């Protein structure tokens, strides 16, 4: 009989992943539960106003919701009903006590594990879907399989803890889930562990093998799986910081970072992906996961390795400071009361997610300079308003940022347009119309190098790029 699945955590990872698992396993019941009732209500909204924006997600949810995918706040009933429990709760950077600013805050994870143990009446496979520090599975297994009294054998249900990290990227999540480069399942090398890994592999194989080909389902021990996820994100983040470090040098020397990246990336050993210079990486995971790796290295006394990885985050922060420094210089060393229109607030195109977005940091730095800021974004304005609520209060010395749907309106009377997110709509705007409505000299700072510079210069703009 097919085992039922529950996922605890209905966020960016739980929602899309379970929707695709349900699509590819129509003969399994899949439940997604969360303590956040508003989020669950949005997943259940009659007109499919889902809590996150992700291309292709709505279609999948329309297909499976109510068929074999169910969203609920009744966590305990779902745990009781299921044999496989995915845990996709958040694991933010800890902001207090030991490891503050670096280590993962595991309190949500541990609370979840304790709840699973308290509720369960039958054996379960517990799957780490969240990104976790190495050896978390051992801690979880200790909590889950702990006997009521020391020295007693636990006669309650048995729990096998696996690591199944997720590699999807936002904006392409549905495609990444439907056609993953690989699925990684780490499990204990025991008979129960191997059986559990085989069970989860069968979920990813899909009904009648319709989904992930067997050779793309990679299995390892649990510690390798946990570390691989951190290492993969750290390598990707490192590439972004490396190309951004080269971008600074390009600006100083007259080289063009896009040309350098194109030719470097043509070497198949280097590859073309993740070599796009820009405002630095954002998103909820790169910074958190690199910092977590730094903390792990420090914990194990690997201080030079810790410093190396910390450099990736430092370089990223520096990239955003550089953007403001360059604006400052270009705008005659005073920004106070000038108007800058920020085009794009999401951390990348095709998502409404603004967690750790480079635009957030740049807007705050500009706000410190008392810039009049107008922010526009096709999907992220409500998150932007929430993120910046503290600098939008009345009575502050700096002007509160404005949030404007229409980019033409955002740019009206502005001294500069600062493009922060590479939404496809921006290159196609009527830039002559924008120029006509701006104060002169009119500047465009394209931090994503996605606009047609020559065309902009012909219109009359002064143009800044990253790495050129
Ligand atoms: P998120 O904040 O969007 O979602 C997490 C959800 O867990 C929230 O809705 C929260 O209410 C819920 N939650 C927290 N504690 C709970 C509890 N005790 N019981 C029930 N629900 C609870 O976070 P996310 O972006 O989905 O990330 C989750 C994890 O997945 C993180 O570890 C992250 O590193 C990892 N991850 C995320 C992505 C991504 O693209 N966002 C990709 C790969 C891995
Ligand atoms: C990233 C990883 O790509 C996923 O594999 C991983 O599952 C996920 O983190 C996670 O663990 O959460 P994501 O953050 O959604 O995915 O998006 P990316 O496409 O990796 O972009 C991250 C940031 O780097 C964005 O701000 C993007 O604009 C920036 N970036 C990316 C660049 O500046 N240059 C590039 O060449 C690539």
């Amino acid at each position: 009989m097919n085992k039922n699945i529950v996922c605890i955590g209905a966020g960016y990872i739980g929602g899309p992943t379970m929707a695709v698992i349900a699509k590819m396993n129509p003969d399994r019941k899949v439940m997604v539960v969360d303590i956040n009732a508003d989020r669950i209500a949005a997943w259940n909204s009659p007109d499919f106003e889902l809590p996150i924006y992700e291309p292709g997600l709505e279609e999948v949810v329309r297909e499976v919701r109510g068929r074999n995918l169910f969203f609920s706040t009744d966590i305990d009933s779902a745990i009781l009903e299921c044999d496989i429990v995915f845990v996709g709760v958040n694991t933010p950077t800890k902001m207090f006590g030991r490891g503050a600013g670096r280590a993962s805050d595991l309190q949500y994870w541990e609370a979840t594990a304790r709840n699973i143990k308290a509720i369960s009446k039958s054996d379960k496979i517990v799957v780490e879907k969240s990104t976790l520090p190495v050896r978390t599975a051992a801690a979880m297994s200790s909590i889950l399989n702990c006997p009521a009294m020391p020295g007693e054998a636990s006669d309650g249900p048995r729990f096998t803890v696996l690591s199944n990290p997720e590699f999807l990227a936002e904006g392409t999540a549905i495609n990444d889930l439907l056609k993953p480069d690989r699925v990684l399942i780490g499990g204990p090398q025991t008979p129960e562990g191997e059986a559990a890994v085989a069970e989860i592999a069968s979920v990813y194989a899909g009904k009648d093998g319709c989904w992930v080909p067997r050779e793309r389902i990679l299995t390892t021990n649990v510690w390798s799986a946990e570390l691989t996820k951190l290492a993969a994100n750290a390598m990707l983040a490192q590439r972004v910081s490396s190309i951004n470090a080269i971008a600074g040098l390009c600006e100083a020397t007259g080289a063009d970072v896009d040309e350098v990246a194109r030719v470097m990336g043509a070497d198949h050993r280097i590859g073309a992906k993740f070599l796009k210079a820009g405002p630095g990486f954002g998103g909820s995971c790169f910074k958190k996961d690199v910092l977590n790796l730094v903390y792990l290295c420090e914990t194990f006394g690997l201080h030079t390795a810790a410093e190396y990885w910390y450099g990736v985050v430092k370089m990223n922060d520096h990239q955003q400071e550089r953007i403001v420094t360059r604006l400052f210089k270009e705008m005659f060393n005073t920004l106070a009361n000038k108007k800058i229109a920020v085009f794009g607030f999401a951390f990348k195109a095709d998502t409404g997610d603004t967690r750790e977005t480079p635009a957030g940091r740049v807007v705050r730095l500009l706000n410190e300079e008392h810039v009049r800021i107008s922010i526009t974004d096709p999907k992220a304005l409500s998150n932007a308003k929430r993120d910046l609520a503290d600098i939008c209060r009345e009575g502050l010395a700096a002007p509160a940022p404005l949030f404007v749907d229409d980019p033409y309106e955002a740019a009206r009377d502005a001294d500069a347009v600062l493009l922060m997110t590479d939404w496809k709509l921006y290159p196609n705007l009527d830039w002559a119309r924008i120029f006509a409505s701006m104060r002169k000299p009119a500047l465009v700072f394209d931090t994503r190098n996605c606009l047609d510079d020559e065309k902009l210069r012909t219109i009359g703009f002064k143009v800044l790029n990253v790495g050129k």
Side-chain angles (χ1 to χ4, degrees):
M1 207 187 73
N2 282 323
K3 294 185 187 306
N4 289 340
I5 295 174
V6 61
C7 177
I8 302 178
Y12 283 87
I13 212 70
T17 309
M18 290 304 127
V20 172
I21 286 183
K23 175 182 166 68
M24 305 316 261
N25 291 272
D27 45 2
R28 284 183 197 264
K29 182 172 179 183
V30 180
M31 280 171 274
V32 187
V33 293
D34 205 293
I35 43 174
N36 182 334
D38 290 343
R39 228 174 199 186
I40 291 297
W43 282 113
N44 280 326
S45 86
D47 42 5
F48 292 85
E49 301 234 335
L50 305 181
I52 60 176
Y53 172 71
E54 189 62 58
L57 175 64
E58 186 184 321
E59 287 82 340
V60 180
V61 174
R62 278 182 187 275
E63 180 187 337
V64 293
R65 195 179 77 186
R67 180 189 80 182
N68 64 326
L69 178 70
F70 303 91
F71 294 96
S72 164
T73 50
D74 188 352
I75 300 174
D76 294 358
S77 302
I79 292 173
L80 271 176
E81 212 186 307
C82 289
D83 317 284
I84 301 173
V85 185
F86 283 87
V87 186
V89 302
N90 33 334
T91 53
T93 302
K94 191 177 170 198
M95 296 316 285
F96 53 89
R98 192 168 292 204
R102 297 203 177 175
S104 278
D105 186 346
L106 295 178
Q107 58 174 315
Y108 306 103
W109 229 102
E110 184 171 329
T112 308
R114 287 183 188 277
N115 195 38
I116 296 169
K117 181 174 171 68
I119 297 297
S120 297
K121 297 202 182 336
S122 59
D123 293 356
K124 297 197 194 300
I125 301 172
V126 177
V127 186
E128 297 177 342
K129 200 53 168 162
S130 307
T131 302
L132 293 161
V134 194
R135 294 216 156 254
T136 305
M140 291 306 147
S141 191
S142 307
I143 290 170
L144 288 163
N145 292 312
C146 171
M149 295 294 288
E152 274 182 15
S154 176
D155 57 357
R158 297 288 304 164
F159 301 92
T160 309
V161 183
L162 305 184
S163 166
N164 168 226
E166 182 50 59
F167 295 104
L168 68 78
E170 290 177 29
T172 53
I174 297 302
N175 197 47
D176 295 345
L177 285 163
L178 288 171
K179 294 192 185 116
D181 287 349
R182 78 305 205 189
V183 165
L184 171 57
I185 309 170
Q189 277 139 352
T190 59
E192 305 83 65
E194 280 160 15
V197 168
E199 178 63 38
I200 301 304
S202 77
V203 171
Y204 284 102
K207 185 170 192 288
D208 302 325
C210 68
W211 188 10
V212 185
R214 190 64 192 84
E215 65 277 10
R216 291 199 181 188
I217 302 177
L218 310 181
T219 58
T220 63
N221 75 33
V222 191
W223 326 131
S224 302
E226 289 177 331
L227 185 55
T228 301
K229 174 64 198 179
L230 292 181
N233 270 2
M235 290 293 264
L236 292 171
Q238 177 270 120
R239 278 175 74 100
V240 176
S241 277
S242 295
I243 198 68
N244 283 337
I246 299 292
L249 201 53
C250 288
E251 287 157 25
T253 57
D256 177 328
V257 76
D258 286 340
E259 289 182 352
V260 174
R262 178 163 55 85
V263 181
M264 225 170 34
D267 182 331
H268 73 274
R269 296 170 304 173
I270 296 175
K273 304 251 172 82
F274 273 75
L275 287 183
K276 184 82 188 138
F281 55 77
S284 65
C285 292
F286 276 3
K287 185 173 180 186
K288 153 177 94 63
D289 292 349
V290 176
L291 288 174
N292 193 208
L293 198 62
V294 169
Y295 181 70
L296 282 170
C297 291
E298 280 169 352
T299 305
F300 290 103
L302 303 165
H303 297 292
T304 307
E307 235 171 82
Y308 171 76
W309 288 115
Y310 193 65
V312 171
V313 174
K314 240 165 77 180
M315 182 63 225
N316 200 54
D317 289 347
H318 177 60
Q319 193 67 354
Q320 287 133 39
E321 282 149 26
R322 257 170 29 79
I323 287 170
V324 177
T325 306
R326 290 182 68 203
L327 270 176
F328 200 75
K329 277 196 194 141
E330 208 56 51
M331 295 172 79
F332 318 111
N333 296 313
T334 170
L335 294 176
N337 283 318
K338 288 186 177 158
K339 178 174 172 184
I340 298 184
V342 176
F343 277 27
F345 197 81
F347 80 97
K348 62 187 277 196
D350 292 325
T351 178
D353 195 350
T354 59
R355 292 177 291 178
E356 299 292 344
T357 180
R361 182 132 188 281
V362 168
V363 163
R364 284 178 186 281
L365 291 171
L366 293 176
N367 181 257
E368 283 171 18
E369 293 294 338
H370 293 196
V371 172
R372 291 184 295 123
I373 303 164
S374 60
I375 301 169
T376 182
D377 188 291
K379 295 287 175 193
L381 274 195
S382 57
N383 282 340
K385 278 182 204 162
R386 183 205 55 205
D387 296 354
L388 300 172
D390 60 310
I391 57 168
C392 291
R393 283 177 294 126
E394 276 179 27
L396 298 176
L402 301 174
F403 303 91
V404 186
D405 283 318
D406 179 4
Y408 296 104
E409 208 42 54
R412 183 184 303 280
D413 297 324
D415 298 273
V417 169
L418 174 62
L419 187 147
M420 292 297 298
T421 313
D422 47 346
W423 285 103
K424 284 198 188 68
L425 73 103
Y426 294 144
N428 299 321
L429 293 174
D430 180 347
W431 285 93
R433 179 178 158 197
I434 291 174
F435 181 78
S437 76
M438 286 175 66
R439 289 215 310 171
K440 309 294 178 312
L443 175 75
V444 172
F445 191 166
D446 173 12
T447 72
R448 298 281 182 171
N449 297 349
C450 66
L451 302 177
D452 183 342
D453 296 353
E454 274 323 301
K455 200 170 124 196
L456 292 177
R457 287 198 179 97
T458 310
I459 291 171
F461 282 108
K462 165 114 198 156
V463 182
L464 289 184
N465 292 99
V466 167
K468 295 178 192 232

